[in-house]
Amino acid sequence: MPDSCPISYRIRPMSLEAHLFEVSLWVGRPARDGQVLWLPAWIPGSYMIRDFARNIVTLSARCETDPVAVTKLDKQTWRCTPCSGPLEVDYLVYGWDLSVRAAHLDTTHGYFNGTSVFLAAKGQEHEPCAVDIRPPEGDAYLGWRLATTLPRLAAPELGFGTYRADSYDALIDHPVEMGTFDLVDFEATGVPHRIAITGRHRADSQRLARDLASICTEHVALFGGDLPAQQYLFQVSAVGDGYGGLEHRDSSSLICKRDDLPCPGEGEPGAGYRRFLGLCSHEYFHLWNVKRIVPARFVPYDLTKEVHTQLLWVFEGFTSYYDDLALVRCGCIQPESYLESLAETVTRVMRGTGRLKQSVAESSFDAWSKFYKQDENASNAIVSYYAKGALVALALDLSIRMDTGGARSLDDVMRTLWQRHGARGIGVPEDGVERLVDDVSGLDMKVFFSRYVHGTEDPPLEPLLAEVGVGLRLRAARGPQDFGGLRANGAAESPPRLSLGARYKTVGDFAEITVVPDGSPAQEAGLSAGDRILAVDGLRAGADNLEALVARLPRGETVPAHVFRRDELMIFNLCPDFPPADTCELWLEPHPGAERLARRKAWLHRED
Ligand code: ZN
């Protein structure tokens, strides 16, 4: 594979039916003592060891026409026998992971992240490389195009051909989509943006482009007005059911329900479309916060093993705060809609007693083994650095606004993080954000951080929101689907209902317990995740009637609960009770007074 670059790759969908990419790596000047090759164990942005090398099916090497022996050193590293000329390595990669994190190939499309398909040549990771991306063979695929932000070297726009990257780090930060996706182009702050939608859908893509243009412009303004990218691509995969995103420097990969995309004639975004806009907004905010403003611990990334930082409450939490906030600030959604979404986040945090045991700094550090490996006990043991991190950001923002008389806000903190770290390529030390907040605000926020970031106290949202004319209250859940939201004006109060306090899923006719919260009647009785409920109070209890049956029992009375645990019938003494007040309602105070109203306008950037 002769080329001017010292490293070049060729990748081709070899068998779409067998989900195999054929990849060749050409190393012009292999290491004299034998070239070592490695593949990442994880992909930046998703803090879990995924061992992408397990999908390499076969691998061989040669020098000209002579075979070169290859020895495997560990799960993701190979050493080639020394050779005198250029080294060529051929391998097959299995791609059947329909997520934003790996590779996927079938007769409808191909998608890959470089971390799944491109072996790194050890010691030469800083070298520029060329990538020849070939189309699949066959008339059926003549219409396939290619969407990526990899710079083109010898390829038509949206076409197969040769692309380039300045280094291995750059190479793996531009995922590639190939197939018959739909395209919508738009401009934001003078920079070309593009949406590529893969999968069946009937979305109003012009509406989507308009809304995304507003959101992108809002984020660019927050960070000072200049987009630090020449182009941006939203790579969307629309499926029946799915949700997820992964950020990159100049693009993001997103998976969504096709029903969450806007339908023609859609007015104010419903919950599904709002969720999708929030996801796009989230990944775009990452363009600064984590892709360019980076924890010092990630500079450079060590992709062979876990790398721990306490700062994900900033890089994911602050991003989660600004994702929805930007939607209301740019006018894509109404303040009431924003409060609905915010209330659901508060409820999600309040539902887990893990928040009283783990701080968001600890949750960040242990993301690899805890947040990314959640089991049935997760809500009792850990806190989400996304959800609580967003509430910490909200409390911090409102505190700074209050204590500086509106002169400073979290927006100034983000802008300064960009100027001092992101724009200058300087990683953020573990205590860097806390010091910078004090510096930018002129306040001493030590107590705030020790309570809500390193400690496990709940941020004082009720008094802080009151200062911007927003009411908050916590009440008992009215059913398993009740996550709170906007308080309905003048709605009659429904009385609390007795509950067993466990979360469950429907399996056939059964209610199968999935989560037993600390302190719940279910836990006191001894019920466990995996138990299938058969009867309560001697009566058949299934997924269809469990809630109603429990709600009708007299409070304080203990009744038998029959369950199958594995294949054993067990009887427990259950005493249902009212659920705790962990469901959040928010509302806009209609007459908050001039001062609070002014603060609300400054916070939401809204005149209404
Ligand atoms: Zn994120």
Side-chain angles (χ1 to χ4, degrees), residues 266-284:
E266 181 154 347
E268 166 83 7
Y273 183 37
R274 183 181 69 201
R275 194 165 75 127
F276 178 67
L277 287 177
L279 180 64
C280 295
S281 176
H282 182 98
E283 305 309 342
Y284 196 79

Side-chain angles (χ1 to χ4, degrees), residues 247 282-283 286 315-316 319-320 386:
E247 66 276 10
H282 182 98
E283 305 309 342
H286 273 317
F315 290 100
E316 291 301 346
T319 304
S320 297
Y386 283 87

Side-chain angles (χ1 to χ4, degrees), residues 40-48 50 52 97-103 111-116 149 169 171-177 194 196 232-237 242-256 275-276 278-292 298 301 303 312 315-316 319 323 368 371-372 385-386:
W42 60 283
I43 182 167
S46 186
Y47 307 105
M48 184 165 150
R50 297 186 188 274
F52 297 116
D97 177 350
L98 187 58
S99 79
V100 294
R101 301 176 296 253
Y111 171 83
F112 62 81
N113 283 286
T115 36
S116 282
T149 47
D169 266 0
L171 175 68
I172 59 171
D173 210 4
H174 299 273
V176 172
E177 170 72 28
R194 174 166 275 171
Y232 193 86
L233 170 67
F234 291 97
Q235 227 165 42
V236 181
S237 179
Y243 177 81
L246 193 62
E247 66 276 10
H248 300 282
R249 284 180 76 84
D250 298 344
S251 67
S252 49
S253 293
L254 311 134
I255 286 195
C256 72
R275 194 165 75 127
F276 178 67
L279 180 64
C280 295
S281 176
H282 182 98
E283 305 309 342
Y284 196 79
F285 193 82
H286 273 317
L287 185 160
W288 293 269
N289 198 33
V290 95
K291 293 314 302 186
R292 289 173 173 85
F298 288 175
Y301 283 111
L303 295 172
L312 296 183
F315 290 100
E316 291 301 346
T319 304
D323 59 20
W368 303 84
F371 187 79
Y372 269 89
Y385 49 78
Y386 283 87

Side-chain angles (χ1 to χ4, degrees), residues 411-536:
D411 300 357
D412 298 294
V413 171
M414 291 316 305
R415 224 168 358 254
T416 310
L417 267 171
W418 164 243
Q419 290 156 358
R420 293 190 193 167
H421 291 278
R424 296 164 64 189
I426 299 171
V428 182
E430 293 290 283
D431 63 349
V433 175
E434 291 168 45
R435 284 192 285 121
L436 189 132
V437 167
D438 282 3
D439 198 18
V440 170
S441 66
L443 305 167
D444 181 350
M445 301 295 283
K446 269 187 213 67
V447 174
F448 181 98
F449 292 119
S450 79
R451 283 183 172 172
Y452 313 122
V453 171
H454 301 285
T456 56
E457 289 182 47
D458 295 327
L461 294 181
E462 191 179 350
L464 286 169
L465 284 168
E467 294 298 337
V468 289
V470 172
L472 177 153
R473 73 153 191 160
L474 295 170
R475 58 161 174 78
R478 293 173 185 144
Q481 300 308 319
D482 178 12
F483 285 87
L486 194 69
R487 183 179 198 170
N489 253 342
E493 277 296 300
S494 51
R497 288 153 56 100
L498 289 182
S499 143
L500 51 97
R503 278 166 241 161
Y504 56 87
K505 63 180 179 186
T506 303
V507 179
D509 294 336
F510 295 103
E512 183 178 303
I513 295 178
T514 52
V515 175
V516 180
D518 274 349
S520 62
Q523 191 185 57
E524 312 241 313
L527 293 169
S528 295
D531 288 353
R532 283 190 179 185
I533 299 172
L534 300 172
V536 172

